Amino acid sequence: MTAQTTQSVAVACFLQRLQAIEKAVAVFAIIAAVASLTADLLGRELFGMGIFGAQRAAVHLTFVAGMLGFVLATGSGQHLRIKATDHLLPSNWAPWIERLGSVLSAVILGVLAWHALGFTMQTRGVGQMSVTLGIPVWPIQAVMVYAFLSAGLRHILFAFLPDLQPQEVTSS
Amino acid sequence: MNAILGAAALFALALLRQPLLLILAAGTSYVHVVLADSRFEFMMQDVWSALDKEILLAIPMFLLAGAVMTRGSIAKRLIRIMIALTTPIPGGIGVATVLSCAIFAAISGSSIVTMLAVGSVMFPALISNGYSRSFSIGLICASGTLGIIIPPSIPMILFGIMTETSITQLFLAGIVPGLFLAFLLAVYAILINRHRDTSKWDTQEIMASIRSGAFALALPILLLGGIYSGYFTPTEAAVAALLYSLFVESLVHRELEFRDFYEIVGSTASLLGILLPLVAFATSLSVIMDYERVPQAIVAWVQTFIDSRTTFLIAANLMLLLAGAVMEVGSAIVILAPLLMPLAKVYGVDPVHFGIVMTVNLEIGYITPPVGLNLFVALAAFKASFSEVCRSVVPYIGIMLLGLTIITAVPALSLWFIR
């Protein structure tokens, strides 16, 4: 086994575990959002009153699930991409274009993460609260920072270890 | 000059195979920071605000309900009823395919889900009954597109969010155009197969299929009835659909286990991760363009060479058909709807009618090369070559263009239930 292959296996293992944790949190967030909305709907149908803050909680949970879903889609090659331009460059350039593309994706995600962090810190600084739930919103916004960083990390790893790059999936 | 540089940079990103979301994020950042008097922080504020809305809750719920129904046996049971009911009609299985897609479309919000759920059962049935591969593939690809025009519809939810149009009204407006397109497809299936043998109704089979699929049949009635009567908001309808499908698939049909559910929710999270950030960055782009009065400038520019409502609708249809051929439906809606809506209003087009026209145009994009999603799903699902799939859908593109023309020219079809 070459040094590069050993490295790839170790990194792939790390990414798999990270992906499993992110998936578990995203699944939990969606199930909690469903439970929250269900309780609200049943409360209104059966007792004539919904649960205060249930919809707001579901919105925040959906935000968390969506941002982690963004990372999951990156890890499994599901993001939408314009493929019409693929044939404009020579096909033997493809491996280098993919590497360069991964570096570029990581840079864009890094910039987004930096500014998302700035925005989150600003919100924290002014003490912005979720009005209905009475909790600070910055920990929820921080998931956005994490998501951009985690997706960026994946792209860096794909650039250096291209065999980790997932096959693109056509999604609905 | 800056605008040209920006466009060139975005093209370079596409050449370097960047995901659409990152191209959109980079473009939005460029507009904020370089072209407009804004800052990165404002863009992040827009991204947060766009995703901090209750109306978005309908999207994960419908995605999840659709995934549960696809994994379970609701589609199979609906199909059995439709086959039993259409045996006396020439080309009955073709008609059953269209009707199954139409009914499944009324409980799922997605074209791919509809096409896969019905197509995986109907394709072998069509082939084993002697229908040609070309007819079968084309029919399933085209009927699958009904998933986004017959409510509930995820693209309509996106349109409603991006243009602040009532999603309930959009859902109601989609019913008649969706059924009209299903009618056109069914008529084509009958005409092409008019010389085929038919058989009499088998009352026993009809009753047995209805007994087996009663819970599945009740779902569209519950959903559409709830929305039409005003009893459910779109989000409540989505939650009801999800709860009902979970109840039916796990406790009545016993087709769903906890392990399946975990995987279903995981894949729903990925789909959410594709859609929600697109909505967020497209909203930010729309906000900053509105602030810079870009839509107003576009309206003024377009008015210099388009002077009537009819010319505008023809131009919009051509543009949307082109967009549908090269863009995915969700991204086309979040990017183009806020730009076209001010124009539609200026030319006196009802916003709800325009939403339906836009959805039908992009629906046709599902079966138009080079990026029609249903074509690619057909490649994998039916083991067909790309050229075979493209040839198969040609007559159906013609039928749907006919339908689009009538739906565009007769707003009453779309506004039937809301006036």
Side-chain angles (χ1 to χ4, degrees), chain A residues 23 44-45 80 101 105 170, chain B residues 18 20 52 231 236 263 373:
Chain A
K23 184 175 172 180
R44 253 179 294 149
E45 293 300 319
L80 301 169
S105 296
T170 305
Chain B
Q18 294 303 293
L20 183 64
D52 196 37
Y231 193 74
E236 287 167 346
E263 287 309 315
L373 267 182

Side-chain angles (χ1 to χ4, degrees), chain B residues 15 17 48 101 107 116 126 172 198-199 239 279 374 383 393 398 406:
Chain B
L15 274 182
R17 303 185 179 194
W48 165 253
C101 282
I107 51 181
L116 275 178
L126 284 161
L172 293 176
T198 56
S199 56
V239 176
V279 170
N374 283 18
K383 310 258 181 299
V393 295
I406 295 170

Side-chain angles (χ1 to χ4, degrees), chain A residues 44-101:
Chain A
R44 253 179 294 149
E45 293 300 319
L46 301 178
F47 307 110
M49 55 184 283
I51 293 173
F52 185 73
Q55 291 225 352
R56 200 91 288 270
V59 169
H60 293 324
L61 288 162
T62 302
F63 180 85
V64 171
M67 293 318 294
L68 290 175
F70 166 74
V71 184
L72 296 176
T74 303
S76 50
Q78 289 187 68
H79 279 298
L80 301 169
R81 195 171 67 73
I82 299 167
K83 291 175 183 156
T85 49
D86 283 4
H87 306 293
L88 297 180
L89 295 175
S91 56
N92 57 346
W93 290 12
W96 289 104
I97 287 170
E98 281 187 7
R99 282 187 160 199
L100 184 60

